[in-house]
């Protein structure tokens, strides 16, 4: 089976459960930004030599796939999504996981003042991922403000994640 369906040739794409929308629909734009962010995390994971950090990054990338799935579900299909995928949604447990990592990094890497991105290649990759995460967070907020159903946990998760990425960036100066 080919991945080329040609169904998007008219400028539309499918949300989860088949609803077709413009490729400029706020849900599509937001999912694209989160996907771009996930790719930036891939640069971090591929460049990092620390196995623990690599494992955390992979887990976060997996969680972002679930976040994108929820974001790509129309308002009218949100309950259907939660019935089918409820165990995989971003929850307070995921946010607590990030909070624990943040606390651990704060204890290991004391703040020594501001740095500029590029002190090392890995530092630059983490800063790129952090700024892409912040853009994804803004897009999720704009999506909610446009009237879309967006649970607060999604915004909280991205907000914590950008904090963690800032700390990882400082660790690899």
């Amino acid at each position: 089976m080919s991945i080329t369906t040609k169904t998007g040739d008219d400028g539309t794409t499918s949300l989860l459960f088949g609803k077709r929308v413009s490729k400029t629909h706020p849900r599509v734009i937001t999912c694209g930004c989160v996907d771009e962010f996930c790719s930036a995390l891939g640069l971090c994971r591929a460049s990092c030599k620390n196995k623990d950090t690599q494992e955390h990054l992979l887990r976060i990338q997996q969680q972002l796939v679930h976040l994108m799935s929820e974001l790509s579900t129309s308002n009218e299909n949100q309950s259907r999504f939660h019935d089918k995928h409820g165990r995989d949604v971003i929850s307070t447990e995921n946010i607590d996981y990030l909070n624990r990592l943040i606390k651990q990094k704060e204890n290991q890497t004391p703040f020594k003042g501001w740095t500029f991105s590029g002190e090392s290649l890995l530092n630059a990759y983490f800063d790129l991922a952090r700024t892409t995460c912040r853009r994804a967070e803004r897009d999720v907020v704009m999506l909610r403000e446009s009237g879309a159903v967006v649970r607060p946990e999604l915004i909280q998760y991205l907000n914590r994640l950008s904090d963690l990425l800032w700390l990882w960036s400082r660790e690899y100066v």
Side-chain angles (χ1 to χ4, degrees), residues 12-171:
T12 65
T13 192
S14 288
L15 297 179
L16 207 59
F17 303 111
K19 180 178 180 178
R20 294 208 61 85
V21 296
S22 168
K23 290 185 179 189
T24 62
H25 188 282
R27 283 196 182 278
V28 176
I29 291 170
T30 302
C31 285
C33 190
V34 175
D35 189 29
E36 182 181 345
F37 166 49
C38 197
S39 294
L41 288 178
L43 282 172
C44 297
R45 189 166 58 89
S47 301
C48 184
K49 303 300 181 216
N50 182 299
K51 294 294 182 195
D52 286 339
T53 302
Q54 287 177 334
E55 289 173 15
H56 290 304
L57 288 166
L58 178 59
R59 180 175 175 179
I60 290 164
Q61 286 178 297
Q62 292 165 337
Q63 291 170 350
L64 288 172
V65 170
H66 298 300
L67 189 145
M68 283 187 284
S69 294
E70 185 170 347
L71 290 174
S72 68
T73 303
S74 63
N75 285 357
E76 58 269 16
N77 283 316
Q78 285 291 317
S79 61
R80 185 176 173 190
F81 172 83
H82 287 281
D83 288 344
K84 187 172 182 177
H85 302 284
R87 70 185 182 287
D88 295 323
V89 299
I90 298 297
S91 67
T92 55
E93 291 173 5
N94 302 112
I95 297 165
D96 290 344
Y97 165 73
L98 295 178
N99 282 331
R100 286 190 303 275
L101 288 176
I102 289 167
K103 191 66 159 171
Q104 179 185 45
K105 290 295 154 198
E106 286 176 331
N107 290 336
Q108 291 174 350
T109 311
F111 181 70
K112 297 177 185 172
W114 297 101
T115 63
F116 291 100
S117 184
E119 298 296 325
S120 73
L121 188 59
L122 190 53
N123 160 263
Y125 283 154
F126 274 110
D127 272 340
L128 176 64
R130 175 187 53 80
T131 58
T132 308
C133 181
R134 286 285 189 209
R135 183 162 34 93
E137 179 186 6
R138 289 189 303 270
D139 280 359
V140 172
V141 170
M142 282 193 299
L143 181 63
R144 181 186 63 189
E145 289 174 351
S146 76
V149 173
V150 175
R151 292 181 309 110
E153 290 87 352
L154 304 184
I155 298 166
Q156 293 166 5
Y157 182 82
L158 291 170
N159 189 31
R160 285 314 174 287
L161 192 45
S162 63
D163 293 340
L164 177 59
L165 291 166
W166 187 86
L167 289 166
W168 265 326
S169 176
R170 297 312 158 279
E171 182 177 348

